[in-house]
Amino acid sequence: MSAAERYVSSLRDGRQVWLDGRRVRDVTEQVLLRKSVDWVVSGYERYDAAPNPAFVVPASPVELRSQLEQLLSGDRSLTSTAACVTALATHDDSAFAERARALVDEAKADDLRMTPASVDTAKPVRVVARRPDGIVVSGGKYHVLGAAVVHRLLVVPNGPVDEPEQAVAFTVPVNAPGVRIVVSTTAPRAVDDRHYPVSRRQSISEALVMLDDVFIPDEHVVLDGDTAGSGELASTLEEVELAVAVAAQADRSELVLGLAQSIAEMNGTGGVAHIQEKLAAIAVYAKMCRAGWEAALAGARAGKGGAVRPDEAYLFAAKSYGTRSYSEMTYYLHDIAGGAVITAPTIADLDNPDIGEFCRKYMRTMENVSGEDRIRIFHAIRDLTADTFGGWDKVTNQAIGGNMQRQRMGALHHSDLGAAKDRARREAGISSNSS
Amino acid sequence: MAMMTGDQYRKSLVDGRRSYIDGELVEDASAHPLLRGAVDMVAGTYDRFYSEDPDAFHPMYLIPRSREDLEFRMEAMGRSDMTAGTTSSCMALVEVAPELARLKPEYRERVYEFIDYCRANDIRCSEAITDAKGDRVKRPSRQFDPDVYVHVVDRQRDGIVISGAKLHISAAPLCHEQVVLPTKAMKPGEEEYAVACSVPSNAEGLHIVNTTNAPRTEDQRHFPLSSRRNCPEGLLIFDNVFVPSERVFLDGETSHAALLAHALGLWERSSGIAHVGDAADRLVGLANLLAEANGGSERKDIRDLLAEMAIFATMCRAGWEAAVKNAKTNADGTVSPASLYVSATKYYNHELHQRMVDILHDLAGPLLVTCPTVGDYENDEVGADLGEHLAGASGWTALDRMKLLHYLRDTTADTYGGWTQVAGPLSGGGQFAQRLVALRNYDLAGATRKARQTVGLDPSPAGDEQHGAFA
């Protein structure tokens, strides 16, 4: 049995999952969740005989760059697993560090997929009972990416907490008694989903996870009662998530540019002055997003646990810039492309003998442009920026690193303000130390 | 003839038209899961405005003769469905009727006869304007395929035959008549492309290939708006379609092609911006509700964002009010909104709209796109607990909070939201066109005269000296 086959089989473990108000007994058989499963399968197939980047804690900028490149070209469970691995492997709580490393070793040995669960619902996760061999927890977590299709959750406080009972972190199998997973998904609902070229392959389900009196054995607990250090794991997870988001933003901005340039050429408007202006604006955006990520990598240095992390000032600055301007770029993209973004015929229309050739004929613009190719570019633009998947992608990315104000503040707080002030004083001819 | 009821409207669509969606022929739109919702919405308008009075008609067919008429008409449009907006194609014809009469008196007569026919039979029309266009930088007559602009391929004793395609035709499968207008100015030598006419939706040779923003889920309760107000978009394919002379409003007169295109643009844009103040107010209200539900309505940073949105909403409303205040009247006495203010308002609204949406997404957070469904909430095994997990601040219940998030996701971050994001700026001409129209209608000479006087190149009128130069 291949690793991918073992993975699919492992999901039939009695996990309690609901989608659209209905219980899902087997996520591998549910048509929408199967798309998430298949995406994760692609990662298992890819790393069946090769080192899996999800289990690497980068020790140099070169390793960090390589890891991010591999993660971004794979399925989302690899990224979520990498975040959990980094958080556990660098966990410096002396009482739990060894246990956390053991959990990483176990996940790696069993080739498990993990995902973080940090954002509390209105019922924060807390210890509700203690037993000789573990703790019992209850509460809920929002936005748990891929919960229904991974093996373990890393549950952590969302930040520093005051109550010792909420200062609790642990890993838990998703099929543990008392774990219930309510899923949402961007997987396309069309019976024939060929006009969703991205989301039919790359949709990962999200979940609200409810924990009801879930027993966590001691060996899975990595924080218990230490309010002073309660925000540390979430902070590490957020750093990794932010780094991935900024790296992905650079890729995404280049994709937007590629789509815009492609459709402009296909429309015959690549040389029109106002279209060129918009393409240029997107090109500037793409270069600045790439530059932000490169600068963050160039400033990377070893942090806690020896893990190399990108420069945070550049990370926040790049994220803030990329988020603030993203809607403007998609607005330009849609303006360049035109209304066929939302009105292009489907692939099924092309298959229909009565109308297929008409659709090809009228979506064609010139001798060397095929109507079908142009239709496929329109589908990609719609799927990525103006439909269910595009909406989810935009909203979830916008929230990484906090809201837009917090992203700006992150850049401010991580900037070297002392050096900036010194420079200003020198220019102004101030030699005294008065502030 | 009398007005139609909703049921009569539904039956009227089963007329043998060749309408497709997802590659399948749809014989009865009212029975198709992806089109039924849109049909029901239009049927709802029919029922809402229905009158047994044989002389009654929907206000969309009121030809405004005063500002009051214009405002009355637009208010009624706000209580109607999208076909009331697309039937604006009739208003475009009416607006240019005096000019058409100078070409041929029968054009004007045909326009008014057509309007009378539509009004008397209570039917809906599309705005079939955007051609396939081929290579955008080449003239229609220089394309590799002559059909990429709709054109006359044959003239017969009693009518013309047309071929070509029209794209992005909102509500096309919901309409009875497809009103074909030139997409832009035509030049001498392009007479075959200077054609305006109306074609019944079931005409032989006409195919309608549709897309839709209707939700595709079985349970649509977490799509609170698009489950009720979705809109199909049609690609109209004219394959040698015969059009009788009485439905031909322009045939070969290139001098008047642009006039029709511009007139439609004005009415299409006007339908969009007449209610843009209300729509912007709704965004401000949604932001305030999100702040309440998430517990931040008194935070200074959030008050600042609300202020930004309030200014946006106020300017949107001001733009439409200025368009009505400065309305124009044509030779037949038809009153139209002022084109300058219509285009300026449309441009302003769409330049900033997505910024307002970004603020809403910031306030909502990712729960916007990960919120459980109503179906989840009603599930016996998880529903009660979801009620506790999803409860909001300030007494917001889980169900109310979910309704708020579902509405916002549906309208800004899902299929329908994507459609509005793309279609909004492009309808009635893209943003670049709005800039051109605004500048064309703006009193540039007057502004320049003021500037010359201000800098002292020309004398100022008596009593109007430099004061207020920057006011």
Side-chain angles (χ1 to χ4, degrees):
Chain A
M1 192 182 272
S2 69
E5 289 167 335
R6 285 198 301 277
Y7 161 69
V8 173
S9 176
S10 73
L11 298 177
R12 301 184 184 112
D13 58 1
R15 58 189 60 199
Q16 298 188 77
V17 175
W18 284 261
L19 174 66
D20 291 348
R22 291 181 182 154
R23 178 77 186 270
V24 178
R25 301 284 171 189
D26 182 350
V27 295
T28 70
E29 295 294 326
Q30 207 286 335
V31 65
L32 297 173
L33 297 181
R34 178 73 206 198
K35 294 177 199 298
S36 296
V37 172
D38 286 343
W39 198 22
V40 179
V41 161
S42 71
Y44 273 98
E45 288 170 342
R46 186 172 181 178
Y47 296 110
D48 196 2
N52 187 335
F55 296 109
V56 171
V57 177
S60 71
V62 173
E63 280 187 15
L64 178 62
R65 179 190 290 274
S66 170
Q67 182 197 35
L68 264 296
E69 284 174 358
Q70 289 182 76
L71 289 176
L72 291 179
S73 63
D75 73 273
R76 291 291 289 267
S77 79
L78 294 171
T79 313
S80 67
T81 303
C84 295
V85 165
T86 301
L88 289 169
T90 62
H91 190 35
D92 57 4
D93 184 323
S94 57
F96 296 100
E98 192 176 328
R99 200 181 273 177
R101 310 287 183 276
L103 288 169
V104 171
D105 292 342
E106 184 186 352
K108 186 176 181 182
D110 294 341
D111 204 6
L112 302 180
R113 297 293 182 265
M114 305 175 72
T115 196
S118 58
V119 182
D120 285 303
T121 67
K123 292 179 69 178
V125 171
R126 60 192 300 128
V127 178
V128 294
R130 294 184 181 280
R131 294 187 195 165
D133 52 349
I135 57 176
V136 179
V137 297
S138 284
K141 295 287 186 183
Y142 290 133
H143 326 313
V144 186
L145 191 81
V149 295
V150 300
H151 301 101
R152 289 192 181 172
L153 312 177
L154 172 59
V155 180
V156 305
N158 196 28
V161 293
D162 297 328
E163 290 185 43
E165 297 307 303
Q166 289 184 26
V168 59
F170 51 87
T171 65
V172 59
V174 294
N175 68 338
V179 175
R180 290 180 295 168
I181 302 168
V182 181
V183 171
S184 62
T185 179
T186 59
R189 309 259 174 169
V191 176
D192 179 345
D193 64 5
R194 289 176 294 167
H195 53 293
Y196 297 86
V198 179
S199 60
R200 70 195 295 253
R201 293 181 289 109
Q202 298 184 10
S203 281
I204 190 85
S205 58
E206 295 252 21
L208 187 156
V209 175
M210 296 184 285
L211 308 172
D212 300 303
D213 296 328
V214 178
F215 174 68
I216 311 294
D218 282 335
E219 57 270 27
H220 286 185
V221 177
V222 293
L223 177 76
D224 186 8
D226 175 17
T227 54
S230 57
E232 182 250 345
L233 282 162
S235 174
T236 307
L237 289 168
E238 190 179 58
E239 281 174 23
V240 176
E241 189 180 35
L242 184 60
V244 171
V246 171
Q249 177 178 275
D251 286 354
R252 188 186 299 105
S253 64
E254 287 158 3
L255 176 57
V256 170
L257 177 61
L259 290 168
Q261 182 67 35
S262 298
I263 203 65
E265 289 174 8
M266 287 178 158
N267 289 350
T269 56
V272 173
H274 76 95
I275 299 292
Q276 286 249 303
E277 275 298 311
K278 287 157 193 159
L279 289 167
I282 300 173
V284 169
Y285 174 76
K287 282 296 168 203
M288 293 307 297
C289 287
R290 177 62 63 192
W293 171 234
E294 290 294 337
L297 271 180
R301 50 190 170 268
K304 195 178 58 170
V308 168
R309 291 172 181 179
D311 181 284
E312 284 185 287
Y314 284 113
L315 278 186
F316 276 107
K319 184 64 173 54
S320 176
Y321 169 78
T323 299
R324 176 70 192 231
S325 301
Y326 181 68
S327 292
E328 188 182 350
M329 297 305 122
T330 54
Y331 171 68
Y332 291 150
L333 172 61
H334 297 160
D335 193 69
I336 292 166
V341 168
I342 49 172
T343 66
T346 64
I347 304 299
D349 289 325
L350 297 181
D351 289 347
N352 183 302
D354 293 333
I355 55 174
E357 285 312 308
F358 282 126
C359 292
R360 286 184 179 87
K361 170 185 169 78
Y362 288 115
M363 296 303 287
R364 191 173 176 215
T365 53
M366 56 190 83
E367 293 290 352
N368 58 347
V369 172
S370 113
E372 182 166 340
D373 287 351
R374 186 162 170 255
I375 284 171
R376 288 181 185 276
I377 293 284
F378 282 126
H379 289 168
I381 295 172
R382 191 206 69 247
D383 200 14
L384 284 162
T385 66
D387 211 324
T388 306
F389 179 84
W392 170 84
D393 189 53
K394 188 262 184 187
V395 171
T396 52
N397 269 303
Q398 183 172 321
I400 292 172
N403 61 24
M404 289 192 283
Q405 187 205 27
R406 198 168 151 237
Q407 291 165 24
R408 284 196 299 276
M409 289 300 155
L412 178 66
H413 293 150
H414 288 92
S415 291
D416 186 350
L417 296 178
K421 284 199 298 181
D422 286 347
R423 179 170 189 146
R425 294 168 73 89
R426 282 199 303 278
E427 291 293 332
I430 300 170
S431 55
S432 70
N433 290 326
S434 60
S435 58
Chain B
M1 295 295 291
M3 294 181 80
M4 277 195 274
T5 65
D7 276 343
Q8 287 170 327
Y9 164 71
R10 288 185 182 91
K11 290 181 183 129
S12 73
L13 297 178
V14 187
D15 58 2
R17 62 185 64 194
R18 307 286 294 176
S19 180
Y20 303 80
I21 195 162
D22 287 353
E24 290 177 17
L25 181 66
V26 179
E27 292 180 356
D28 180 358
S30 69
H32 192 283
L34 289 175
L35 294 171
R36 185 169 49 219
V39 173
D40 287 345
M41 179 177 57
V42 182
T45 303
Y46 272 98
D47 284 336
R48 201 154 44 250
F49 286 87
Y50 178 73
S51 168
E52 292 182 350
D53 180 346
D55 295 326
F57 59 87
H58 188 286
M60 77 177 82
Y61 284 113
L62 172 69
I63 298 173
R65 302 298 186 199
S66 65
R67 279 187 212 151
E68 289 71 27
D69 280 357
L70 184 61
E71 289 183 296
F72 171 75
R73 183 180 183 279
M74 287 304 185
E75 186 278 330
M77 304 279 277
R79 292 185 288 119
S80 304
D81 60 88
M82 84 293 268
T83 61
T86 62
T87 306
S88 295
S89 49
C90 292
M91 294 310 304
L93 291 171
V94 166
E95 186 173 322
V96 301
E99 295 292 327
L100 295 176
R102 288 181 196 164
L103 296 173
K104 283 186 186 172
E106 59 264 40
Y107 282 157
R108 182 175 180 276
E109 289 163 20
R110 289 173 191 171
V111 164
Y112 282 109
E113 281 169 11
F114 177 63
I115 305 302
D116 287 344
Y117 164 80
C118 294
R119 182 195 291 129
N121 289 281
D122 202 13
I123 63 174
R124 301 294 183 258
C125 302
S126 75
E127 303 166 324
I129 184 164
T130 307
D131 287 288
K133 292 183 183 173
D135 186 337
R136 301 299 193 271
V137 297
K138 290 186 177 170
R139 299 293 312 170
S141 53
R142 307 297 293 272
Q143 299 287 339
F144 75 101
D145 180 346
D147 292 346
V148 294
Y149 284 78
V150 168
H151 63 135
V152 178
V153 294
D154 189 22
R155 287 192 170 78
Q156 299 177 356
R157 183 181 50 79
D158 51 350
I160 58 175
V161 177
I162 60 172
S163 280
K166 293 285 188 180
L167 272 64
H168 331 311
I169 311 306
S170 297
L174 310 176
C175 293
H176 304 91
E177 290 278 331
Q178 311 292 335
V179 176
V180 175
L181 299 170
T183 199
K184 62 181 182 182
M186 296 297 166
K187 293 182 174 176
E190 295 171 342
E191 285 74 14
E192 65 186 279
Y193 299 99
V195 59
C197 57
S198 188
V199 177
S201 298
N202 63 349
E204 192 172 344
L206 173 61
H207 300 267
I208 308 174
V209 182
N210 301 291
T211 59
T212 179
N213 48 44
R216 290 175 181 264
T217 55
E218 191 181 336
D219 179 352
Q220 303 191 347
R221 289 174 296 171
H222 51 296
F223 293 87
L225 188 103
S226 65
S227 59
R228 296 181 289 108
R229 285 191 69 84
N230 56 69
C231 179
E233 298 272 351
L235 160 60
L236 304 183
I237 297 162
F238 298 91
D239 181 22
N240 291 301
V241 175
F242 174 72
V243 186
S245 296
E246 59 268 28
R247 288 288 180 266
V248 178
F249 313 121
L250 186 76
D251 178 16
E253 295 87 351
T254 54
S255 58
H256 283 57
L259 198 65
L260 279 158
H262 292 162
L264 179 66
L266 172 64
W267 283 99
E268 193 177 6
R269 290 191 283 274
S270 298
S271 298
I273 71 152
H275 307 286
V276 82
D278 289 343
D281 285 343
R282 200 173 297 123
L283 294 182
V284 183
L286 286 168
N288 201 31
L289 290 177
L290 284 168
E292 266 182 38
N294 293 343
S297 54
E298 295 307 317
R299 272 173 36 194
K300 281 180 72 175
D301 59 327
I302 289 178
R303 302 291 299 173
D304 196 41
L305 293 172
L306 288 173
E308 184 180 341
M309 297 184 76
I311 290 168
F312 168 76
T314 305
M315 292 308 296
C316 288
R317 187 171 296 285
W320 172 244
E321 289 181 1
V324 174
K325 183 171 181 296
N326 294 282
K328 303 277 194 298
T329 305
N330 77 357
D332 280 359
T334 304
V335 175
S336 315
S339 192
L340 169 62
Y341 290 101
V342 168
S343 283
T345 307
K346 182 172 184 296
Y347 183 84
Y348 172 83
N349 174 55
H350 290 300
E351 279 291 292
L352 292 180
H353 182 266
Q354 205 53 32
R355 161 70 185 156
M356 302 301 126
V357 171
D358 284 349
I359 292 173
L360 285 166
H361 290 175
D362 234 19
L363 292 171
L367 191 58
L368 181 67
V369 288
T370 65
C371 186
T373 64
V374 178
D376 293 324
Y377 184 77
E378 290 181 350
N379 182 280
D380 290 340
E381 296 170 289
V382 294
D385 290 323
L386 284 177
E388 293 181 27
H389 285 281
L390 288 163
S394 311
W396 273 74
T397 65
L399 192 56
D400 285 350
R401 193 172 177 219
M402 289 168 71
K403 281 181 183 173
L404 175 60
L405 292 166
H406 289 163
Y407 180 88
L408 190 60
R409 190 212 71 250
D410 190 19
T411 54
T412 67
D414 212 320
T415 304
Y416 183 87
W419 178 81
T420 56
Q421 187 187 337
V422 175
L426 294 173
S427 64
Q431 292 293 77
F432 185 67
Q434 306 315 314
R435 292 163 70 117
L436 296 180
V437 173
L439 187 59
R440 191 166 60 231
N441 287 280
Y442 180 75
D443 182 6
L444 189 58
T448 307
R449 189 167 57 247
K450 280 178 193 160
R452 292 183 65 85
Q453 292 164 355
T454 302
V455 300
L457 301 179
D458 293 333
S460 297
D464 184 16
E465 300 302 330
Q466 291 291 319
H467 65 273
F470 295 99

